[in-house]
Amino acid sequence: MRTVEKAHGQGFDGLRAAASLTGIAKPAWYACCTWDDPALGLVWRGDEIDLVTAQPIKPGGTLITMPDLSDGWWATLNASLDALSAVETDRIATLHSMPMTQVRLTDAIVSVFPEVIDTMVTAWTAAHADMSWANLTAPECWLLDWEDWLRHEVARCEWIMARRVGELLTL
């Protein structure tokens, strides 16, 4: 569901747009149905995708212990992220409906780390944009929640997610 103003463009059609992505462990997209609710000023959308029965690794909160993930799971995740990073797209990150720009990224980094001087992003690539342990499943590796995939700065979060939890805890 989106407001009428936000019901058009990349944030509303991400699943359909992701259907063309290959080499990624994601549910297949088949069709969608949309309908307007003029009284509330909303547009509703239902998408038909593959049923994934594997459970999210961490549905919410902070992951603090190493999940039992096989080498095959990590290989699938890494291959999926490699395939995604090779995609050319004009979709631009719109976190919380605001376009991700160099200025916005710099402001966010400096607000937390004021001593950082150089925040210039020199490379942008296609990214999932909502990568979290809640959107990764096990024991089979599936990447879920493709509504907002887009072009983002390299290494925003995918490289972090692809590292083992033990390595994350020592960063």
Side-chain angles (χ1 to χ4, degrees), residues 3-169:
T3 62
V4 171
E5 298 80 29
K6 294 183 181 178
H8 304 285
Q10 68 184 36
F12 199 61
D13 73 343
L15 286 172
R16 183 204 53 78
S20 64
L21 302 176
T22 60
I24 300 169
K26 63 176 182 51
W29 177 89
Y30 299 104
C32 76
C33 177
T34 61
W35 59 99
D36 294 340
D37 186 342
L40 295 176
L42 299 174
V43 178
W44 297 83
R45 180 183 177 114
D47 287 275
E48 180 184 7
I49 63 171
D50 280 338
L51 173 64
V52 174
T53 59
Q55 297 298 306
I57 293 171
K58 178 69 174 147
T62 303
L63 184 67
I64 57 173
T65 60
M66 175 63 119
D68 185 20
L69 303 171
S70 69
D71 288 342
W73 187 97
W74 287 102
T76 298
L77 177 63
N78 286 323
S80 294
L81 296 178
D82 287 346
L84 180 58
S85 70
V87 172
E88 292 291 327
T89 183
D90 59 358
R91 294 172 60 87
I92 298 172
T94 55
L95 304 175
H96 306 291
S97 300
M98 302 275 300
M100 178 54 73
T101 63
Q102 179 65 58
V103 170
R104 184 171 178 206
L105 178 67
T106 297
D107 289 347
I109 293 170
V110 171
S111 73
V112 176
F113 304 104
E115 69 281 1
V116 174
I117 296 170
D118 184 8
T119 62
M120 182 60 63
V121 175
T122 59
W124 296 77
T125 188
H128 181 277
D130 192 10
M131 185 68 70
S132 72
W133 295 106
N135 289 331
L136 293 167
T137 68
E140 298 87 25
C141 179
W142 290 97
L143 285 75
L144 307 176
D145 195 8
W146 284 88
E147 289 84 2
D148 294 316
W149 77 275
L150 36 72
R151 187 174 66 95
H152 220 301
E153 67 272 14
V154 170
R156 172 171 161 66
C157 60
E158 272 75 355
W159 73 272
I160 293 172
M161 294 302 303
R163 296 179 64 130
R164 297 196 184 260
V165 174
E167 294 170 329
L168 283 176
L169 295 175

